[in-house]
Amino acid sequence: MAMWKRVAMGVSVIGVLVSWWKGSIYGFDPAWLAVMLCGVPIMTAAVRELWEERQLNSDVLVTIAIIAAVSIGEVFAAAEVAVIMMIGMWMEQRTVGKAASALEKMAALLPDTAHVKRDSGWQEVKLSELTAGDIVLVKPGEKIPVDGIVIEGQAAVDQSALTGESLPVEKQQGDEVFVGTLNKNGVMQIRAEKVGDETTFAQVTRLVADALEKKAPVQRLLDRWAAWLVPASLLLAALVYVATDDVVRAVTILIVFCPCALVLATPTAIMAAVGNAAKNGILIKNGLALEQIGQVNTMLFDKTGTLTQGKLNVTGIAHLGTNDADVLRYAAALEQHSEHPLAQAVMELADRRGVEVPDVSQFRVHVGSGIEGWLDGKQVLVGNRKLLAQAGIDLGNLHEILSEKEAAGQTGILVAVEGEAIGMLTVSDLIRPEASGTVELLRKHGVDEIALLTGDNHGAAQFIAKQAGITTVYAEQFPESKHAHVQKYRNQSRVVAMVGDGINDAPALTAAHVGIAMGANGTQIAAEAADIVLLSNDVSKIAYTVHLGRRTLHVIQQNLLVSTAINAAAVLLAMFGILGPIAGALIHNATSVLVVLNAARLIDNHTKKSNKTPTNTPMTLQPKQG
């Protein structure tokens, strides 16, 4: 709320209090300040909404009450109605976060320039100067500036920003690469197929922009009630006037019908719940997101960094004729010189186990397959099937183990010494301990459709989904595919929440009714595209938020029902002339206090106590021993 609006509300409150205490001062009733400063903006908004949107909402109902009160000289009653309405609007706006756009930050992820082959040699040019057919050189550590085909060289490319894959993808001649992905090692020459607005990254940006533009605002519960309260109040007031020929009774009915407590019913509950969520590390950007998360029946999860830890770990060691320590020692000795994520996983395990890592000589990288070196006068190879096959080394029993682990979405690091395979380390991204418990709780809370959306391969997706208790899996999904799945569920009249942490999730996060971002290690773009941000990596907070949303809706409904019941009783009293305008205003105040006290119940941690999430132990693979 702008500063002048806060000042206007403050002056209005003072005017109402002075009017109640002193009445008129020098012939001027201070309550007129509230009518002018709070009432006039409400009436203006009501007229605009009626004219432009043809919609009956709470503004229209309050406008009728203000005009009715002023028409019979009850300025204090009109002022009291206007001030309570303005307070309710202020409370609602307090729950709305800044709608910062993620689009500028997405554009900043692209490289500024590219190295292009020209007649005079390699030249550095701006991305805007690239055309389809250009040959682009990409060095280690650089982002790929085009969608294209590798025509020379090999490299491991981190595509996680675009696809969410947990492992870098080995690229070689003939493979497709995408703009914005990161070359981890090796040098590649790429023939540009798509540049500028035609690239996959540009399509992702457009999807985010379109989803933000088309995301329709949700009608408040109060406004849905107002759609029938407005005609009902007018009809009843008219009938009473016709029956009694008493304009004061008719006008009193219009005043009493004004939903002062209803105006506070939703924002007080939402503010209390948003405060509760904030204390538990959950940032809810607006009240509408809280209302919608309480209605969610479909939950879509990203995998890497969301259901999983987003970090590779060694999950098992198999050996042939030796022991785990020797396999780890040889692997760590060679991997210590590599910056590959697989190497980092090996070195972390070696560090945890206190392995003394020796130096190697004649170190050599085989791009796309592994590493070679000499240790204790012996040739050591550490890498994938391709590396050992090129050296003519038989895998023996490791072949069956490796095939089993690869089918489960894991990666094998083979170790060979002096031409013989001695063992293998298996590496994968571990599921978060609380993931399966979260899925179980979501089903208990009424979320009957839970699916996994990931850019990773089918094996890795099924492996994690099975541990989490998710049966519906969509693997190898690009950002536009994730967006399409969200739209598919929405077209089935499902209320959809999407949980993700990466740039590739941004279109789906914005397209869903509620987007939930993992904020601790997730990208800022995902956090800005989402409606709710988890400030930690604890996915159990998702079930907590759904339960909190459901409880908030329950409290809002209680407030609306109680307020309506009291208003109905007041209307009956007004019909028989027992209740006048000032008494009606006092009933408004008493009901408003009751509503606020009921909403305050959401501030405590009752939700947390009733929403403990069982955890699952991260699965540690036990490879067969040779």
Side-chain angles (χ1 to χ4, degrees):
M1 182 179 287
M3 176 63 72
W4 73 267
K5 289 185 178 180
R6 290 197 293 270
V7 172
M9 189 169 65
V11 171
S12 299
V13 170
I14 293 171
V16 169
L17 292 175
V18 172
S19 177
W20 171 74
W21 181 40
K22 288 284 189 181
S24 296
I25 299 177
Y26 299 113
F28 175 73
D29 189 344
W32 276 109
L33 293 173
V35 173
M36 299 305 295
L37 295 175
C38 292
V40 170
I42 293 170
M43 290 187 282
T44 303
V47 171
R48 184 175 60 251
E49 287 158 359
L50 273 175
W51 180 259
E52 296 179 357
E53 302 177 20
R54 303 291 191 270
Q55 185 177 11
L56 293 174
N57 59 22
S58 57
D59 288 348
V60 176
L61 198 54
V62 172
T63 296
I64 292 171
I66 293 172
I67 294 173
V70 171
S71 70
I72 61 170
E74 295 293 349
V75 179
F76 177 81
E80 183 262 355
V81 167
V83 167
I84 289 182
M85 181 65 177
M86 190 61 72
I87 291 173
M89 293 170 62
W90 172 76
M91 294 179 73
E92 280 191 312
Q93 292 180 17
R94 281 289 299 269
T95 65
V96 179
K98 294 181 180 179
S101 172
L103 299 178
E104 292 182 5
K105 291 183 174 59
M106 291 188 72
L109 292 174
L110 297 177
D112 296 323
T113 60
H115 294 92
V116 184
K117 192 173 186 178
R118 300 293 192 219
D119 293 338
S120 58
W122 294 103
Q123 295 182 8
E124 187 173 1
V125 302
K126 295 180 179 179
L127 257 60
S128 58
E129 298 177 19
L130 292 175
T131 60
D134 279 342
I135 305 301
V136 178
L137 178 70
V138 182
K139 301 175 184 178
E142 292 183 345
K143 290 181 179 178
I144 295 172
V146 296
D147 284 0
I149 304 296
V150 178
I151 61 172
E152 185 177 320
Q154 292 180 321
V157 177
D158 182 356
Q159 298 187 155
S160 58
L162 194 62
T163 66
E165 292 169 286
S166 53
L167 284 171
V169 180
E170 300 293 340
K171 300 289 186 179
Q172 54 188 352
Q173 188 174 349
D175 288 339
E176 189 176 14
V177 292
F178 304 98
V179 67
T181 55
L182 179 64
N183 179 8
K184 300 287 287 187
N185 55 37
V187 178
M188 295 183 294
Q189 290 187 29
I190 300 166
R191 183 179 66 249
E193 300 289 328
K194 296 178 181 178
V195 298
D197 291 340
E198 298 178 353
T199 63
T200 303
F201 199 92
Q203 293 175 19
V204 173
T205 305
R206 282 196 296 273
L207 285 173
V208 173
D210 291 344
L212 286 171
E213 183 178 343
K214 294 175 182 177
K215 196 162 189 175
V218 179
Q219 189 181 30
R220 298 178 302 169
L221 285 174
L222 171 59
D223 288 338
R224 293 201 292 271
W225 283 52
W228 65 266
L229 281 176
V230 171
S233 65
L234 292 173
L235 177 62
L236 186 57
L239 291 174
V240 168
Y241 177 70
V242 170
T244 65
D245 196 29
D246 187 345
V247 69
V248 174
R249 287 195 194 188
V251 170
T252 301
I253 287 173
L254 293 176
I255 295 172
V256 172
F257 240 108
C258 176
C260 290
L262 292 179
V263 168
L264 297 175
T266 297
T268 52
I270 287 176
M271 283 194 72
V274 167
N276 183 322
K279 288 193 300 183
N280 289 280
I282 303 163
L283 174 62
I284 300 176
K285 294 184 180 180
N286 58 72
L288 294 179
L290 185 59
E291 284 192 40
Q292 288 194 291
I293 196 67
Q295 302 172 49
V296 161
N297 53 27
T298 301
M299 186 74 68
L300 307 179
F301 283 97
D302 171 48
K303 181 183 78 70
T304 305
T306 302
L307 284 180
T308 70
Q309 298 174 12
K311 180 182 178 182
L312 297 178
N313 293 270
V314 176
T315 54
I317 301 177
H319 58 81
L320 298 175
T322 179
N323 54 57
D324 289 0
D326 281 346
V327 174
L328 179 58
R329 176 174 172 270
Y330 280 118
L334 269 68
E335 296 286 19
Q336 66 181 310
H337 299 291
S338 173
E339 296 181 356
H340 197 285
L342 290 173
Q344 295 172 15
V346 172
M347 295 310 299
E348 286 184 7
L349 179 63
D351 183 61
R352 287 199 304 270
R353 294 193 177 182
V355 174
E356 186 175 339
V357 181
D359 290 328
V360 296
S361 59
Q362 300 182 45
F363 180 83
R364 179 186 175 192
V365 175
H366 296 263
V367 178
S369 57
I371 307 170
E372 175 185 355
W374 288 77
L375 177 62
D376 301 331
K378 300 176 181 178
Q379 183 193 40
V380 181
L381 297 177
V382 176
N384 55 24
R385 291 175 184 266
K386 179 181 176 181
L387 180 66
L388 270 65
Q390 289 174 342
I393 298 174
D394 182 21
L395 298 183
N397 292 339
L398 291 177
H399 176 77
E400 180 183 350
I401 301 172
L402 179 58
S403 298
E404 178 185 333
K405 300 309 176 187
E406 287 177 338
Q410 300 178 70
T411 299
I413 302 175
L414 298 163
V415 180
V417 179
E418 287 292 281
E420 291 187 9
I422 67 165
M424 177 185 72
L425 297 88
T426 50
V427 178
S428 72
D429 189 4
L430 295 179
I431 189 171
R432 295 191 187 279
E434 67 278 7
S436 65
T438 297
V439 171
E440 181 182 341
L441 266 179
L442 285 171
R443 291 199 171 100
K444 288 182 179 178
H445 293 332
V447 183
D448 56 14
E449 178 67 25
I450 301 176
L452 181 66
L453 292 176
T454 178
D456 231 334
N457 62 72
H458 286 278
Q462 291 289 352
F463 178 67
I464 294 298
K466 184 177 181 180
Q467 294 179 69
I470 298 174
T471 55
T472 304
V473 179
Y474 303 99
E476 300 179 2
Q477 301 293 304
F478 270 68
E480 58 268 27
S481 305
K482 291 185 177 183
H483 179 273
H485 282 295
V486 171
Q487 290 294 347
K488 178 190 74 175
Y489 281 110
R490 291 195 62 149
N491 292 340
Q492 296 171 0
S493 299
R494 308 286 296 183
V495 182
V496 184
M498 172 70 195
V499 189
D501 74 318
I503 301 163
N504 58 310
D505 300 315
L509 289 170
T510 50
H513 289 96
V514 183
I516 304 174
M518 305 293 289
N521 294 331
T523 64
Q524 188 173 358
I525 288 170
E528 291 196 3
D531 304 292
I532 297 173
V533 180
L534 306 184
L535 301 181
S536 69
N537 287 322
D538 184 357
V539 294
S540 70
K541 300 294 186 184
I542 296 168
Y544 178 92
T545 308
V546 170
H547 187 55
L548 179 62
R550 294 215 187 324
R551 189 169 170 230
T552 302
L553 285 179
H554 183 62
V555 168
I556 291 172
Q557 289 162 357
Q558 286 178 342
N559 285 345
L560 293 175
L561 288 171
V562 169
S563 303
T564 302
I566 293 175
N567 271 14
V571 167
L572 287 174
L573 294 175
M575 288 173 61
F576 292 102
I578 300 171
L579 193 69
I582 299 300
L586 293 175
I587 288 178
H588 287 161
N589 286 328
T591 310
S592 299
V593 170
L594 183 62
V595 162
V596 171
L597 291 175
N598 188 45
R601 297 187 298 118
L602 290 168
I603 297 174
D604 64 30
N605 281 338
H606 170 75
T607 303
K608 186 174 183 179
K609 294 174 184 175
S610 63
N611 198 51
K612 291 183 179 178
T613 307
T615 60
N616 60 309
T617 304
M619 180 175 288
T620 301
L621 304 176
Q622 301 294 333
K624 299 175 184 178
Q625 302 298 308

